[in-house]
Amino acid sequence: MPLLSIIIPVYNTGDKLKRCLNSIIEQKISNYEILLIDDSSNYKSKKIYKSFKKKYSQIKYFKNKKKLEVGGSRNIGIRKSQGKYLFFVDSDDVVVKNF
């Protein structure tokens, strides 16, 4: 069971999602999962997820059946999370080192 679940609602953020994921992966933490909750965004978001999933098994992807907005997507992430603690990040955010 991961200590930390990082929940990221995603909607058409494109390359900003890459920056966001890299900023999380570069942290010193090791016992975590990243949950990408795709809120019916374009194909590029799933393509970015697939490229990261090849290298990082702690990334999980869920696609909403209909648009739920940020709050609804976070709620999905909460239900799907397995960590003891939750951390919310927007897909266009960059997390500073050693957060």
Side-chain angles (χ1 to χ4, degrees), residues 85-97:
Y85 302 102
L86 301 177
F87 184 72
F88 298 100
V89 177
D90 290 331
S91 60
D92 59 350
D93 288 344
V94 175
V95 179
V96 297
K97 281 195 170 200

Side-chain angles (χ1 to χ4, degrees), residues 38-65:
D38 186 342
D39 198 24
S40 302
S41 59
N42 62 26
Y43 173 75
K44 189 169 186 176
S45 297
K46 188 169 185 177
K47 186 176 176 182
I48 290 168
Y49 153 73
K50 285 183 176 185
S51 71
F52 274 84
K53 181 65 178 168
K54 290 177 187 177
K55 295 180 186 177
Y56 307 103
S57 62
Q58 67 269 40
I59 299 176
K60 300 174 183 175
Y61 177 86
F62 303 94
K63 184 167 178 85
N64 296 341
K65 293 179 182 175

Side-chain angles (χ1 to χ4, degrees), residues 6-99:
I6 303 167
I7 299 169
I8 307 173
V10 177
Y11 183 74
N12 293 343
T13 49
D15 290 332
K16 292 177 184 178
L17 177 59
K18 288 181 189 178
R19 286 192 337 232
C20 177
L21 290 172
N22 282 324
S23 74
I24 294 168
I25 291 165
E26 291 170 356
Q27 300 296 320
K28 292 182 181 180
I29 59 173
S30 59
N31 190 9
Y32 68 98
E33 65 179 351
I34 297 173
L35 292 88
L36 296 175
I37 314 300
D38 186 342
D39 198 24
S40 302
S41 59
N42 62 26
Y43 173 75
K44 189 169 186 176
S45 297
K46 188 169 185 177
K47 186 176 176 182
I48 290 168
Y49 153 73
K50 285 183 176 185
S51 71
F52 274 84
K53 181 65 178 168
K54 290 177 187 177
K55 295 180 186 177
Y56 307 103
S57 62
Q58 67 269 40
I59 299 176
K60 300 174 183 175
Y61 177 86
F62 303 94
K63 184 167 178 85
N64 296 341
K65 293 179 182 175
K66 64 179 184 173
K67 191 153 175 46
L68 299 175
E69 304 295 332
V70 173
S73 294
R74 285 185 180 147
N75 288 335
I76 298 286
I78 290 168
R79 286 194 292 275
K80 301 283 187 182
S81 68
Q82 297 179 352
K84 182 175 180 180
Y85 302 102
L86 301 177
F87 184 72
F88 298 100
V89 177
D90 290 331
S91 60
D92 59 350
D93 288 344
V94 175
V95 179
V96 297
K97 281 195 170 200
N98 300 315
F99 83 98

